[in-house]
Amino acid sequence: MGGPYARRWWALLVLCLSLLIIVMANTALTVAAPDMTQDLGLSSADLQWVIDGYTVPYAALMLLLGAIGDKYSRRGALVLGLVVFGAGSVAGSLVGSATGVIAARAVMGVGAALIMPATLSLLAATFPRAERAKAITLWTATAGLAIAAGPLVAGALLEDHGWASTFLINVPIAVLAIIGALVLVPPSKAGHHDRIDYVGGLLSVVWIGALVYMIIEGPHFGWGVKAVTAAVVAGLGLVLFVVWELRHPRPVLDVRRFTQRRFAGSNLAVALFFLAVFGAFYYLTQHLQFVLGYDALDTGLRMLPLAGAVFVGSALTGYLTPRIGMRITVTAGMVGGTAALVLLSQVDAGSAYGDFVAPLVILGLAIGLALSPCTDAIMGAFPEAELGVGGAVNDTSLELGGSLGIAILGSLLSTSYAAHLTDATNGSKLPAGALSKAQDSVGAGYQVAQAIGTQARQLAAQASQAASAGKPEQAAELKTQASQLAQGARQMADAVGSSFSDAVAHTSLIGAVILGVGTVLVAALLPGKGRAESDPEVAVEPADAADAADAAEKPELAHAGRASGV
């Protein structure tokens, strides 16, 4: 085209809608999980793989599918991904077993691996560079909205429908996005693209898939043969991938880009931020539902401050980054994320929802401040022919960070909760089997407390019957036992709530330390505003015809764009 695409903002709406459903697919599941567990009789291992069956193909396939989309059709990749995602959603709503749900979620993950890099590559190809940062800001804000909207939508559906509705809601959105893509999104592919490096692409699938599997398997199920084998495959696959890409004349990903401070720092920031965000989201939704007793809809409503703050933070980064530079904006966002986790480390058994509002708002602001400049920098490092690969790199960093967050912080949460519960119930004469079951999760802990309460009510009913039958001594004995069990049920429920609150505080503190150390590393890696303007490593090509025309007509602006890396 001779100028910018006229309907680019409508096209952006379609891309954001496509992004919305693939992020919501995970966050909505955290709210639907209790109903699904009860209906399908899922074990904790089953539930873990229902969640992560989506993550493994999603993370592993993005790089290869992004390259294929670049060569053949980015819009085609988007539409195909939406079709696959919608089909997986329909299948997930119809199956009646753990295996079926896991398989359906895996199909959805394949669709997401097509959709996610396509949204960013189409965005970068459609918008001239002068508007791209603003478009990426809106894309990032949509991701933040989806994190909070998933529980809200799922909660509203679960008021009157079963968990299958949380799968089916994806279908009309996918259909709308497909129609919008065909009508509003322009066709796009690389103007020149050599033969795809399929060997490098397959090696990326192997090492990323094995790494994500190891991250899931090891912390949750123990470092047995499966986890260790996955670790070995991931390490060997990564070495072979790097060696192959360094030697290949047309690599699927030029790994030398990671020697550039701006590129490496941006990817590290994205990974660390989503480690913190996904980890915190994982245990915050559980705390709101189980400890504070909110139902699914109320939990979703109480996550809205996070979504609103993301939009405010995104607006701020659009204003601040051009004025004070990327390093200060991103570092400020990561400091804010660290501060939010520090506030969550103050949670205790007496904490109410009001104690969570400030951390949620600060975390949302931090997401908006940090992620848009990083995504813009990552996409700016790739030429027009590799925009799909650029989107895949950004999204793989995001997904690896999220997987690590749930695995590391989730494992720490589980270990800390079990230890605190042991201490809290010490001397309570609780049967060993009941304690072991209660230590499995906070939901299981409350189930044990409810079971004890049910026994108390049954004994109370037997005491009434004995009294009516003229057996006062038996009635008195049964009443005493019922009273003791009722007191034990209350103590057990209190112990579960306080133990989980303490575990949230402990896990948040560890998360704050991880993100704090990462903040220092990112601040050291990212070049300052002055250096970014003169750093020769950051030169990039114009990514579309409109940019090329601008560069030809305004050489001084082209030079400034290359120097700043945006």
Side-chain angles (χ1 to χ4, degrees), residues 27-299:
T27 58
L29 192 64
T30 59
V31 174
D35 284 4
M36 187 182 297
T37 299
Q38 184 175 5
D39 190 28
L40 299 179
L42 301 180
S43 66
S44 59
D46 291 336
L47 181 59
Q48 191 64 46
W49 279 111
V50 166
I51 295 170
D52 291 317
Y54 179 82
T55 303
V56 176
Y58 178 22
L61 292 170
M62 272 194 286
L63 193 60
L64 178 59
L65 295 182
I68 291 173
D70 279 336
K71 181 174 177 63
Y72 295 105
S73 173
R74 293 163 182 149
R75 186 176 69 173
L78 175 65
V79 171
L80 178 60
L82 288 165
V83 170
V84 172
F85 191 89
S89 298
V90 172
S93 70
L94 297 175
V95 296
S97 67
T99 303
V101 175
I102 292 169
R105 290 272 297 166
V107 172
M108 292 169 66
V110 174
L114 281 161
I115 297 168
M116 193 71 158
T119 60
L120 268 178
S121 62
L122 284 165
L123 183 155
T126 303
F127 282 83
R129 199 169 296 278
E131 296 178 343
R132 193 170 302 155
K134 185 184 296 183
I136 286 176
T137 295
L138 292 172
W139 183 92
T140 304
T142 301
L145 173 64
I147 291 173
L152 179 61
V153 172
L157 290 170
L158 291 171
E159 290 283 297
D160 300 308
H161 306 283
W163 59 265
S165 63
T166 61
F167 282 82
L168 285 175
I169 191 61
N170 297 321
V171 178
I173 301 175
V175 170
L176 184 62
I178 291 169
I179 296 171
L182 295 173
V183 174
L184 297 170
V185 177
S188 171
K189 65 178 181 179
H192 56 86
H193 199 296
D194 298 315
R195 185 177 178 181
I196 294 175
D197 171 23
Y198 282 106
V199 173
L202 290 173
L203 285 171
S204 76
V205 172
V206 170
W207 82 260
I208 295 173
L211 177 63
V212 174
Y213 182 88
M214 179 204 73
I215 291 170
I216 296 165
E217 182 75 20
H220 289 287
F221 305 111
W223 292 96
V225 175
K226 292 181 180 179
V228 172
T229 301
V232 172
V233 171
L236 183 60
L238 175 59
V239 171
L240 291 174
F241 174 75
V242 171
V243 171
W244 177 268
E245 297 299 271
L246 287 173
R247 295 172 62 88
H248 198 281
R250 297 175 300 276
V252 69
L253 172 63
D254 186 356
V255 294
R256 296 176 184 85
R257 284 195 173 91
F258 286 94
T259 63
Q260 299 173 10
R261 291 172 54 188
R262 181 185 179 91
F263 184 77
S266 297
N267 277 284
L268 180 61
V270 169
L272 285 171
F273 223 97
F274 272 84
L275 184 154
V277 169
F278 274 55
F281 190 85
Y282 175 76
Y283 55 74
L284 280 179
T285 51
Q286 292 185 68
H287 196 280
L288 290 174
Q289 284 186 280
F290 291 108
V291 179
L292 298 185
Y294 295 115
D295 62 20
L297 179 58
D298 287 337
T299 298

